[in-house]
Amino acid sequence: MASVRRARQETRQEIAEFLSIGPVQVAELDIEAEDAEGAEGAEEADDPKGADDAAAAESAEGVELRPGPGGAPVTSGAVFVLVRRAGRPVGTLLGQVPEGADPTVVLAGLARKLPGGEPPGPLPGPPSASVVVATRERADQLARALDSLLAQDHPDFEIVVVDNAPVTDETRELVERKYGERVRYVCEPVPGLAIAHNRGLAAVRGEVIAFTDDDVVADPRWLTELTAPFSADPRLGCATGLILPARLRTPAQVLLESHGGFAKGFTSRTYDPAQPPADEPLFPFTAGRFGSGANMAFRTAVLRAVGGFDPATGAGTRARGGDDLYGFVRVLAQGQRLRYTPSALVWHHHRETWRDLETQAYGYGAGLTAYLTAILVNRPALLPAFLARVPGGLAHARGLTAVRATGDGADAAAKGPDAVAKGPDAAAEGPGGHDSRTHPWPRRLSRLQRRGMLYGPVGYLRARRALRTVGLEAR
């Protein structure tokens, strides 16, 4: 009983600390290519500080600062910034704009200190594509997502909305009334994200099928950047992209993003099962490193060949999640490559409350072990490789669910906005670089994630049994 009381007291204290986290503005800042080159040259001058001052004074030239999707104009205070060079995402930072200062001048001065990122290579013409959005009773969010998808610069694509286990006609009426023939409507009566995605897979016509969620805003070049690599690499079976926060208005949103959110960094990477990465000893079972379901695409024929997603995984089932991770590993197990492409960007509306984070932590833990169970049940040939990685996997699991303290960024917080100038991994009082950990991860959430991991295999097996009652089988 004493331990229970201590845990409850600890949770109350963690919630109080959580509620003290303040909001952060979200913005993007684009530095024109020529301006960026000039700034880099100034950093190499004999008087770096003088060069920085001169660059800051001229920072309005060739620089565009705009709020994140649906946000208000940037003012004083903390600002999470996506930095682009000639439109290409190269990093994030957190700046503190003083009262009365010009946000563009302040943030551009910091942005110039970020590394330049990868030089853009020639982009092949993208293949025909289909975008599938599964949704359930969220018509307002869906409309925002569809508006951004219809603004894509891809030359040949379709959009399919899968209405999953609807209880009202709101989604169908929205699609038919507002979007007409530009968006196809499909109804899937059986609940489950993987089931909805499989229904979309059966309906699409494109050479590549892309999936995103109803709570995102897609960058205008998202679909082109995500699908073009398929034209260049015939062995590419899957691609994933960058996910950044659309808003950081609540403590839950700020906390999640300060521990990495859904982003996987700003360096492109190709994962090839024929050449397992030396720095990924658990490959391919740490599929969460590859990307997330809100921003993924597959060669349609490849995804159909592996049977699509396991319908006993995913949100809306007793497994709670893991459908996207299952898809990644199945494609890799077929000898296909997977590519992470940070220039393929969507803005995600993170969950907003402490209760949301509790649900999310438990669901992520459950989804992780549910998808591993699904892989071993459906592909028993992978069991020896899995068993060989069990010791490392247990250490990885402990790391995932550890009580993560603040990182070096906590010490940098007192140093002001210049603390983020060292690069995209530096930090200030909020989410700056990827996984900057500027707020401690609560023990309550770590415990819930561990409980979810213990439940995951049970949840998956229960989900398989539930499928039989509706005439479906797991893959």
Side-chain angles (χ1 to χ4, degrees):
M1 289 299 294
S3 61
V4 173
R5 286 195 297 270
R6 282 196 301 270
R8 288 176 178 173
Q9 183 178 359
E10 182 181 81
T11 298
R12 285 194 293 269
Q13 181 178 348
E14 288 180 334
I15 293 175
E17 294 173 355
F18 165 81
L19 292 174
S20 70
I21 299 174
V24 178
Q25 300 171 83
V26 175
E28 47 186 326
L29 187 144
D30 199 342
I31 304 175
E32 295 296 335
E34 292 182 1
D35 182 75
E37 290 170 3
E40 291 168 4
E43 289 181 2
E44 296 172 0
D46 292 337
D47 183 4
K49 188 176 189 309
D52 287 347
D53 291 341
E58 298 176 358
S59 61
E61 296 293 330
V63 174
E64 181 184 3
L65 176 67
R66 52 186 178 269
V74 179
T75 62
S76 60
V79 189
F80 173 87
V81 183
L82 167 66
V83 179
R84 300 177 186 258
R85 286 204 165 95
R88 182 172 52 92
V90 297
T92 57
L93 60 82
L94 184 101
Q96 188 75 27
V97 178
E99 190 73 33
D102 184 337
T104 302
V105 171
V106 173
L107 298 174
L110 296 174
R112 287 195 178 89
K113 299 174 184 178
L114 289 175
E118 302 171 315
L123 199 64
S128 64
S130 301
V131 182
V132 171
V133 185
T135 188
R136 188 172 192 266
E137 304 301 334
R138 301 204 295 189
D140 290 344
Q141 293 192 61
L142 176 63
R144 180 179 59 205
L146 292 178
D147 288 343
S148 71
L149 293 173
L150 288 168
Q152 296 296 299
D153 67 358
H154 191 288
D156 181 15
F157 72 100
E158 64 172 350
I159 300 172
V160 176
V161 168
V162 181
D163 194 3
N164 190 208
V167 296
T168 72
D169 292 330
E170 285 188 12
T171 299
R172 179 180 58 79
E173 291 173 353
L174 169 72
V175 173
E176 293 177 352
R177 181 185 72 254
K178 185 174 180 181
Y179 300 103
E181 297 181 356
R182 295 179 297 168
V183 176
R184 280 200 287 149
Y185 172 87
V186 176
C187 180
E188 171 51 66
V190 180
L193 184 57
I195 295 171
H197 281 169
N198 286 340
R199 175 55 66 93
L201 177 62
V204 300
R205 310 183 186 107
E207 182 181 343
V208 171
I209 180 170
F211 297 91
T212 192
D213 293 345
D214 60 8
D215 55 1
V216 308
V217 174
D219 187 76
R221 288 192 56 77
W222 165 69
L223 189 59
T224 296
E225 296 284 353
L226 187 65
T227 59
F230 289 92
S231 296
D233 184 357
R235 276 192 56 216
L236 189 67
C238 179
T240 61
L242 177 65
I243 303 174
L244 291 179
R247 297 174 182 170
L248 294 172
R249 296 179 180 175
T250 72
Q253 293 171 333
V254 175
L255 177 62
L256 179 63
E257 194 61 31
S258 78
H259 284 264
F262 299 95
K264 307 302 176 187
F266 289 85
T267 302
S268 299
R269 183 168 188 181
T270 298
Y271 296 90
D272 188 342
Q275 297 177 315
D279 61 340
E280 294 280 353
L282 302 180
F283 178 87
F285 298 107
T286 49
R289 295 184 185 273
F290 306 149
S292 300
N295 192 351
M296 63 182 182
F298 298 82
R299 199 177 297 276
T300 306
V302 169
L303 188 57
R304 286 173 174 165
V306 300
F309 302 95
D310 187 326
T313 61
T317 71
R318 295 183 181 182
R320 301 292 190 101
D323 53 307
D324 50 352
L325 309 183
Y326 176 89
F328 299 156
V329 175
R330 281 304 304 263
V331 167
L332 287 165
Q334 290 294 109
Q336 299 286 314
R337 297 188 182 103
L338 182 152
R339 181 171 176 80
Y340 171 68
T341 304
S343 53
L345 165 68
V346 299
W347 301 87
H348 181 261
H349 288 79
H350 293 349
R351 301 190 189 192
E352 297 185 351
T353 69
W354 173 266
R355 183 66 66 186
D356 289 338
L357 285 182
E358 289 185 323
T359 301
Q360 194 170 37
Y362 186 86
Y364 281 175
L368 174 63
T369 52
Y371 110 80
L372 290 172
T373 306
I375 287 291
L376 297 178
V377 168
N378 296 319
R379 286 295 306 270
L382 292 176
L383 182 61
F386 176 81
L387 292 176
R389 292 164 173 79
V390 164
L394 292 174
H396 177 68
R398 285 194 296 269
L400 283 176
T401 61
V403 179
R404 301 191 291 272
T406 57
D408 293 339
D411 296 330
K415 300 179 182 178
D418 286 343
V420 299
K422 299 177 183 178
D425 291 327
E429 293 179 336
H434 172 61
D435 202 20
S436 54
R437 301 189 181 188
T438 46
H439 300 286
W441 190 254
R443 288 179 172 81
R444 165 70 175 168
L445 299 182
S446 294
R447 288 195 295 267
L448 284 170
Q449 192 169 4
R450 287 193 294 269
R451 291 176 192 171
M453 292 172 70
L454 293 173
Y455 166 80
V458 176
Y460 173 73
L461 296 176
R462 289 177 175 173
R464 285 175 65 94
R465 287 199 297 269
L467 285 175
R468 299 190 188 104
T469 67
V470 294
L472 293 176
E473 292 289 338
R475 312 263 161 112

